[in-house]
Amino acid sequence: MITFWRQDGSGLHRTSSENDLAAPSSPTPGDPTWAWIALDSEPAEHEAAIMRRQLNAHPEAVRDAQRQRHPPKFEDFGDYSFILLKELQPGEFNGDFTTSQLAIFVSATKILTRHNGRSMACEQLARELKDTEHPTPVDAWRLALRLCRIVADGFLERLMKLESRLDAIEDQIEHEPRDALLSELSSQKLELRRLRRTCVYHAQLFSGLRQLPPTALVMPDSAPALNDVSEQMERTASLATLYHDLVGDLTESYLSMAAHRLNGIMKVLTIVTTIFVPLGFLAGIYGMNFTHMPELASRYGYYLLLGFMAVVATTLLWLFRRRKWL
């Protein structure tokens, strides 16, 4: 599906025709301020043709935009810039941080986005464009920066949900430890490792973008929006690293508490074994079937032996308690 948006002096319009997007290389009064072409799961050849017609996109940039997996990147081709981001896939959060690619081509008057399947960021940007409560960006570059900010906000929202879940896991480890928690923590640690790598890529990308000198695309008046996106990307990278370390700490805490519980069980079993070793020794002696055993003929031998066993067990228990082993 292809969606076309067009902003000019008369307002914002959504069109279904690519021909309505014609815009000069530099906006003038009465001409479109910007145009947005959103490509969603179109055939690769069709997408490439639109990219070439609208922005004269470089073949390498087109290939990078259409790949299933590619690290986030930024390239400036003079007449347009190419931004490649990772966006979280839509759905209810269940500890999964699976991402998909979001390619953004932006020139002075046009922005072209390409993604596979559903893009929550593009959907939210489209809603904001139709919502009169949100001011419409005045140029294509700031529209692209708004889209980047929405992507960053998506990561931040997921991380906030993860924080609540980690708090709950911490309480469960203390009060209701279960093996399922360890499995969940291991899965989250793997997901956070991948997320941290993606967020660090994003933070480095926009940090480098802030260092570029002002050009026709990176205009001085868009610097606050660019700084805002960069700071948000840095925050997501910092939180991803923090939660990755926290999951590692929770895992070690669970294993330490499990080892402590196991040591307590082993201590009790060792004490029980220690008490019954001498008792078993005495029972073994008097369980022998020898004819001439002196105590066997004693009238009170059975009771004396039981009493002696009770004294031995009581003495050992007293000794263990005094040494604070119990």
Side-chain angles (χ1 to χ4, degrees):
M1 183 176 68
I2 308 177
T3 306
F4 305 103
W5 294 84
R6 180 171 176 266
Q7 169 70 31
D8 57 23
S10 61
L12 179 66
H13 311 279
R14 182 171 177 173
T15 176
S16 58
S17 173
E18 185 180 351
N19 296 329
D20 294 337
L21 300 180
S25 56
S26 59
T28 57
D31 290 322
T33 305
W34 53 259
W36 175 23
I37 306 101
L39 304 178
D40 179 1
S41 302
E42 287 293 307
E45 294 181 359
H46 188 198
E47 289 180 343
I50 294 176
M51 293 177 190
R52 287 193 296 268
R53 284 198 301 270
Q54 293 295 330
L55 293 166
N56 193 27
H58 193 279
E60 287 296 331
V62 173
R63 278 194 289 270
D64 288 345
Q66 292 179 329
R67 287 179 181 173
Q68 295 298 322
R69 297 182 60 185
H70 195 285
K73 63 182 294 187
F74 170 81
E75 285 188 274
D76 186 7
F77 290 91
D79 294 335
Y80 66 92
S81 293
F82 174 51
I83 304 173
L84 188 61
L85 302 178
K86 294 287 188 180
E87 179 189 8
L88 286 174
Q89 290 187 352
E92 291 296 326
F93 176 65
N94 56 359
D96 182 27
F97 288 96
T98 304
T99 59
S100 58
Q101 288 204 155
L102 175 61
I104 305 172
F105 294 85
V106 55
S107 70
T109 58
K110 293 179 183 177
I111 172 175
L112 185 148
T113 60
R114 188 268 174 191
H115 54 86
N116 279 327
R118 187 179 176 189
S119 170
M120 299 297 290
C122 290
E123 290 181 9
Q124 181 175 335
L125 181 60
R127 288 194 299 268
E128 291 183 2
L129 290 177
K130 292 184 291 185
D131 188 352
T132 56
E133 294 181 2
H134 292 84
T136 302
V138 296
D139 57 60
W141 180 249
R142 269 176 283 193
L143 184 70
L145 289 178
R146 176 58 192 157
L147 186 59
C148 295
R149 174 58 193 261
I150 295 173
V151 171
D153 290 344
F155 282 100
L156 190 61
E157 182 181 352
R158 286 280 179 92
L159 286 169
M160 292 298 102
K161 292 181 179 179
L162 176 63
E163 181 180 21
S164 300
R165 179 55 188 154
L166 293 180
D167 289 340
I169 290 177
E170 187 174 9
D171 292 336
Q172 289 179 321
I173 288 176
E174 183 177 357
H175 300 104
E176 301 178 48
R178 295 177 288 110
D179 290 342
L181 295 177
L182 183 60
S183 176
E184 183 178 353
L185 286 172
S186 299
S187 176
Q188 287 179 347
K189 189 172 184 178
L190 177 62
E191 291 291 330
L192 281 168
R193 184 181 297 119
R194 294 189 300 181
L195 176 66
R196 180 178 61 176
R197 182 172 62 248
T198 298
C199 290
V200 168
Y201 274 133
H202 285 168
Q204 292 175 346
L205 187 157
F206 284 93
S207 178
L209 195 54
R210 292 171 66 180
Q211 308 303 319
L212 294 178
T215 64
L217 298 179
V218 188
M219 293 176 287
D221 56 355
S222 66
L226 177 59
N227 293 338
D228 180 61
V229 174
S230 179
E231 290 170 359
Q232 192 77 335
M233 291 295 187
E234 290 174 359
R235 185 183 178 193
T236 59
S238 176
L239 285 177
T241 301
L242 174 64
Y243 292 149
H244 178 269
D245 295 341
L246 178 57
V247 167
D249 293 341
L250 289 176
T251 302
E252 293 180 3
S253 176
Y254 178 90
L255 294 175
S256 297
M257 293 187 68
H260 179 71
R261 290 193 301 270
L262 180 61
N263 288 338
I265 293 172
M266 294 303 298
K267 181 176 70 173
V268 172
L269 294 177
T270 301
I271 289 175
V272 171
T273 302
T274 303
I275 291 174
F276 277 91
V277 163
L279 303 185
F281 174 73
L282 294 173
I285 290 179
Y286 288 97
M288 297 179 184
N289 294 321
F290 291 110
T291 303
H292 303 290
M293 290 184 68
E295 291 80 3
L296 290 180
S298 173
R299 180 177 181 179
Y300 301 105
Y302 172 72
Y303 303 103
L304 291 173
L305 181 60
L306 288 182
F308 183 68
M309 286 182 172
V311 170
V312 170
T314 303
T315 303
L316 288 175
L317 286 173
W318 172 80
L319 180 62
F320 293 151
R321 187 172 295 277
R322 181 170 182 177
R323 290 179 175 268
K324 297 183 180 180
W325 294 351
L326 280 175

